[in-house]
Amino acid sequence: MGPAELVQAAAMARRFYLEGKSKIQIAEEFGVSRFKVARVLETALERDLVRIEIRVPAELDAERSDALRARYGLRHAVVVESPAEAEESTDPENLGEVAADLLGELVTEGDVLGLAWGRSTIHMAAALDRLPPCTVVQLTGVYDAGTAERGSVEAVRRAAQVSGGDAHPIYAPMLLPDAATAAALRNQTGIARAFEYFDKVTVACVSIGSWEPGISTVHDMLSDEERAHYASLGVAAEMSAHLFDAQGRRVGRDLGERCITVEADRLRRIPEVVAIAGGQRKASAIDAVLRSGLVTSLVTDTAAADFLLTAGPAPRPALQRADPDGA
């Protein structure tokens, strides 16, 4: 390209990329066809007159995010950089911060937001600084009734405070000694009122646990004998007190009868279910839950993403919401 062509190409590129003018507008200004403008812009890229940079915040990994979304057929996948201690860390707090920003995008005025118990959802709620007016409902009981003020009840209150909407917490443990006690609690006025909102939830936020101490809430609440029983069924993951094997099939369904939690079928009908989970120790559990058809979007970290991108045969697209048990 001669000097005149270079100057013209630079001018056209400035109009198109910086000033936002259309190719037709540029063509009219320079007295050429829009096809000529298209060729000049293409040449400007080829000759390095124009460099296009795609930049996202340093903590976000755009390439892994897109690859993960495509592999699992998710609506959204957001991968953040793992902390230096990634091998030992699970659900670092920055996952909650990113998830809070994602909820700010996903929730619209009039939605019903459901929050399940989990450290990551508690971190997410604490990081919330914007939400459109919406109703917030608790989807599970708490890990321990004595920690309600610091756990999921407080998360529901915090989200409702930010949105200016109504809060429907559940003042009850997640796991009860037997099915009869759980059934009696579900019929209590406040808990029953929260359950009535489950079918109205439009966006839900859940956590994922792998079947090992300190990483699964349910695992830690059971006796040694009960843990061994569910392990013998092949449990690989837990979400909202539902257990899954490595293929995403639900196992140990009898446990649900003792739990205060949203049913799996209701979760499957919620339009947007965002899971927040990360770390190498949770990676296989995340894979199992993504194969269950219950989750539509994921916030995770690079430590988990690297495992997920090579984990076994490609799963069905998550947005099909297919139940592996019905396959």
Side-chain angles (χ1 to χ4, degrees):
M1 298 176 73
E5 290 176 307
L6 285 171
V7 169
Q8 185 183 68
M12 288 183 176
R14 179 174 294 277
R15 305 289 193 281
F16 185 74
Y17 291 108
L18 300 183
E19 299 176 12
K21 292 188 175 180
S22 69
K23 293 174 184 176
I24 292 176
Q25 290 173 316
I26 298 170
E28 290 175 350
E29 178 182 348
F30 287 88
V32 298
S33 72
R34 61 186 176 89
F35 301 106
K36 167 75 171 176
V37 173
R39 287 196 299 272
V40 170
L41 292 175
E42 185 178 345
T43 301
L45 283 171
E46 292 174 350
R47 300 292 180 89
D48 215 21
L49 287 175
V50 174
R51 296 181 183 179
I52 297 177
E53 254 188 297
I54 300 173
R55 302 182 66 183
V56 296
E59 68 173 351
L60 298 182
D61 192 312
E63 185 175 349
R64 284 185 177 91
S65 297
D66 188 55
L68 201 58
R69 179 201 57 77
R71 173 172 168 77
Y72 285 90
L74 295 160
R75 183 173 289 116
H76 303 285
V78 182
V79 178
V80 305
E81 285 292 333
S82 299
E85 64 278 13
E87 290 189 9
E88 297 299 325
S89 173
T90 59
D91 299 341
E93 290 193 22
N94 63 337
L95 290 186
E97 295 167 3
V98 172
D101 288 339
L102 178 61
L103 279 193
E105 292 181 52
L106 298 181
V107 176
T108 60
E109 184 172 351
D111 275 344
V112 177
L113 172 62
L115 299 182
W117 193 96
R119 296 178 186 88
S120 55
T121 52
I122 292 169
H123 290 156
M124 180 276 300
L128 282 172
D129 59 11
R130 62 185 174 97
L131 270 183
C134 64
T135 298
V136 186
V137 60
Q138 193 169 323
L139 295 178
T140 63
V142 297
Y143 172 58
D144 182 293
T147 64
E149 293 301 316
R150 304 191 301 276
S152 45
V153 170
E154 181 56 32
V156 168
R157 287 176 174 169
R158 167 64 182 168
Q161 179 184 37
V162 172
S163 74
D166 294 333
H168 295 276
I170 294 177
Y171 295 97
M174 181 188 293
L175 180 65
L176 282 303
D178 52 66
T181 305
L185 275 178
R186 291 189 201 103
N187 288 326
Q188 288 189 357
T189 303
I191 298 174
R193 187 177 298 119
F195 268 63
E196 288 172 0
Y197 274 91
F198 287 179
D199 287 329
K200 302 174 185 177
V201 174
T202 50
V203 180
C205 192
V206 300
S207 297
I208 296 172
S210 56
W211 198 245
E212 57 180 301
I215 308 208
S216 165
T217 299
V218 173
H219 180 282
D220 291 347
M221 288 191 287
L222 295 174
S223 67
D224 290 341
E225 184 179 351
E226 289 171 323
R227 290 172 191 148
H229 165 67
Y230 291 117
S232 71
L233 300 179
V235 60
E238 173 257 316
M239 179 185 70
S240 303
H242 300 294
L243 309 181
F244 306 87
D245 67 12
Q247 286 72 48
R249 296 185 295 254
R250 288 181 60 211
V251 296
R253 293 175 184 240
D254 60 305
L255 183 66
E257 298 175 5
R258 296 168 49 195
C259 293
I260 303 296
T261 186
V262 60
E263 300 94 328
D265 289 342
R266 277 175 157 170
L267 265 178
R268 201 180 302 280
R269 292 195 295 268
I270 296 174
E272 182 75 84
V273 178
V274 181
I276 313 169
Q280 289 181 6
R281 293 175 65 187
K282 277 195 177 182
S284 59
I286 297 169
D287 175 64
V289 172
L290 291 181
R291 293 174 186 272
S292 73
L294 295 176
V295 170
T296 61
S297 297
L298 174 69
V299 178
T300 190
D301 61 4
T302 52
D306 286 342
F307 173 90
L308 294 170
L309 289 171
T310 58
R316 293 183 184 181
L319 293 181
Q320 288 183 3
R321 312 305 293 275
D323 185 349
D325 291 331

